[in-house]
Amino acid sequence: MPTTCSACGTSPAALRRPRTGHALCRACFLAAFEEETHRAIVAGRLFRPGETVAIGASGGKDSTVLAHLLQLLNQRHGYGLHLVLLSVDEGIAGYRDASLAAVRRHHHRSGLPLHVISYRELYGWSMDRIARHLGPRNNCTFCGVFRRQALDRGALLLGADKIATGHNADDVAETVLMNFLRGDVGRLRRGAGAGTAGGEGAVPRCKPLRHAYEKEIVLYAYFQGLDYFSTECVYAPQAYRGYARTLLKDLEAARPSAVADLGHSGERLSLRSDLRLPARGTCQRCGYVASQPLCKACVLLEGLDRGLPKLGIGKHQRLRDKLRDGQPLTEEERRRLGAPAEADGEVPEQQEPGGESGVQDKERGGRNLRGPRDLDF
């Protein structure tokens, strides 16, 4: 005998919610999911009437569901928001081009404005080219830093008041685990909330789906017939996040509430009052938010442009100081920073001035320094 929906008591149940265990029919699940998202937005005071909200649109299930829900709830509840889709093209052949095609289909179907910003335009490098220089490891470090800054810069160009991202409860729990395992106290403090007052970036961000389980987002997209791209990035298997994800799935199998519990723990984390966190300033090169003289993106770009791709990864401050002071590196030090040995015949790929797109270097302090480009759509 088929199970009856526990909400309406009449229709046959179409699923059992992973989050609550309730058996619901399709209509009741959709209504519950949308109402929970609305309550999360209102309770978190994520938006104000008249704001322009840039939705980080990757073409995946999370951002597609987020864009659909924000447009739906904006009309239903009169949020008074101006919504735009903002996508980042990292330059990953066979992956990002296909996901951007899904974003463009959603753009045409929904009528929401779409703007795309690329790594090549902003940094002079594509992710594929970075991976050729860097090798199989640490690609996600570069991509994460560049992507966060690209979203901020794109939102500033659009005049957006906030960036809405599709991070779900599983993403938040994974992040809490990762930051705890790495001992990253600063990110532990600010990484689990529903919204930020700027956080690491220049534009405030919010996560309207932070309480939604990944499984329920998939079910919502399925029942609504949403078109999204589901292939994993070719560089993701080497990411540290994958280990946290595996651990989280094991925990969830033993205790289904583990995902929500970790998210709540991250929100309620208490740190010592005398704990000193890095002060927020601006990058001396590009003007972006930074806690050091140079932002992380500029440090990574410096390494790429010097043929030393690991310059911005790991604890190489002493070597960075040597380069800053104009001191030469030994061959062993260059190898530690990822430079190929001359004897191997592996020389860095010749680059046009300023990178792939011919960005001109800026002269400062007698040295050629280049930060992210200023862009205009």
Side-chain angles (χ1 to χ4, degrees):
M1 183 176 179
T3 304
T4 304
C5 174
S6 61
C8 66
T10 56
S11 301
L15 74 152
R16 188 172 295 278
R17 295 192 69 177
R19 178 180 175 183
T20 64
H22 295 157
L24 297 179
C25 65
R26 174 184 179 277
C28 288
F29 168 70
L30 294 178
F33 193 86
E34 291 164 5
E35 180 60 23
E36 288 168 5
T37 304
H38 169 62
R39 288 203 303 265
I41 291 172
V42 173
R45 300 179 181 178
L46 301 187
F47 307 117
R48 295 179 180 178
E51 286 186 328
T52 296
V53 178
I55 302 170
S58 66
K61 63 183 184 310
D62 301 318
S63 63
T64 301
V65 167
L66 175 63
H68 172 83
L69 279 172
L70 286 184
Q71 187 175 29
L72 176 71
L73 297 176
N74 189 38
Q75 296 169 350
R76 179 182 296 171
H77 298 285
Y79 294 160
L81 304 177
H82 174 57
L83 303 175
V84 296
L85 301 175
L86 176 61
S87 294
V88 177
D89 181 2
E90 300 94 341
I92 303 174
Y95 168 74
R96 185 50 73 200
D97 46 0
S99 65
L100 284 175
V103 174
R104 292 188 176 96
R105 291 194 296 271
H106 185 86
H107 153 65
H108 292 303
R109 185 172 57 253
S110 66
L112 294 176
L114 169 64
H115 297 280
V116 181
I117 192 169
S118 75
Y119 282 10
R120 286 193 63 173
E121 291 175 300
L122 190 56
Y123 307 115
W125 290 77
S126 68
M127 210 42 235
D128 282 341
R129 185 158 177 247
I130 291 172
R132 290 198 298 270
H133 284 254
L134 188 62
R137 297 177 62 85
N138 296 311
N139 290 298
C140 290
T141 298
F142 277 80
C143 198
V145 171
F146 288 168
R147 183 177 177 80
R148 281 192 294 272
Q149 188 171 136
L151 280 173
D152 271 328
R153 290 184 176 275
L156 288 171
L157 288 169
L158 293 171
D161 300 290
K162 287 195 177 76
I163 299 172
T165 62
H167 292 94
N168 57 50
D170 296 63
D171 296 326
V172 172
E174 290 167 11
T175 300
V176 171
L177 271 177
M178 288 169 57
N179 291 333
F180 181 80
L181 293 172
R182 291 188 298 204
D184 195 330
V185 178
R187 286 193 174 92
L188 270 172
R189 166 174 280 182
R190 61 179 177 259
T196 71
E200 292 183 307
V203 181
R205 300 192 179 200
C206 61
K207 302 184 281 270
L209 299 179
R210 69 162 308 280
H211 293 298
Y213 275 39
E214 183 179 44
K215 295 174 183 176
E216 297 199 352
I217 290 175
V218 172
L219 288 169
Y220 184 87
Y222 171 75
F223 285 132
Q224 289 286 24
L226 300 180
D227 176 16
Y228 64 89
F229 180 75
S230 59
T231 301
E232 185 179 53
C233 175
V234 295
Y235 301 119
Q238 300 293 334
Y240 182 58
R241 179 175 287 272
Y243 299 101
R245 181 175 296 124
T246 300
L247 175 58
L248 180 62
K249 296 305 179 187
D250 291 340
L251 292 172
E252 187 182 11
R255 180 184 174 91
S257 64
V259 172
D261 293 343
L262 277 165
H264 291 312
S265 297
E267 283 183 334
R268 291 163 173 75
L269 180 69
S270 177
L271 301 179
R272 294 202 323 262
S273 58
D274 61 341
L275 186 66
R276 296 182 60 183
L277 297 176
R280 174 170 162 165
T282 56
C283 176
Q284 296 176 0
R285 182 177 305 182
C286 70
Y288 187 70
V289 175
S291 58
Q292 302 293 332
L294 294 183
C295 70
K296 188 67 171 179
C298 283
V299 173
L300 293 175
L301 282 172
E302 181 82 359
L304 290 171
D305 292 342
R306 289 177 177 269
L308 305 171
K310 296 182 181 179
L311 179 66
I313 300 173
K315 299 180 179 180
H316 298 303
Q317 187 60 49
R318 183 182 64 83
L319 301 183
R320 288 195 287 269
D321 290 342
K322 285 185 68 173
L323 289 172
R324 183 196 61 198
D325 296 338
Q327 301 177 30
L329 299 180
T330 66
E331 187 61 31
E332 176 58 30
E333 289 172 335
R334 289 180 57 82
R335 290 295 295 270
R336 285 174 56 192
L337 296 179
E342 294 182 10
D344 296 336
E346 298 180 10
V347 295
E349 180 181 349
Q350 292 299 311
Q351 186 175 333
E352 297 177 6
E356 289 184 341
S357 55
V359 185
Q360 294 299 315
D361 289 349
K362 298 178 181 178
E363 294 280 353
R364 294 187 186 177
R367 297 193 301 128
N368 288 329
L369 301 178
R370 178 171 59 78
R373 291 179 63 189
D374 291 327
L375 290 181
D376 194 357
F377 287 111

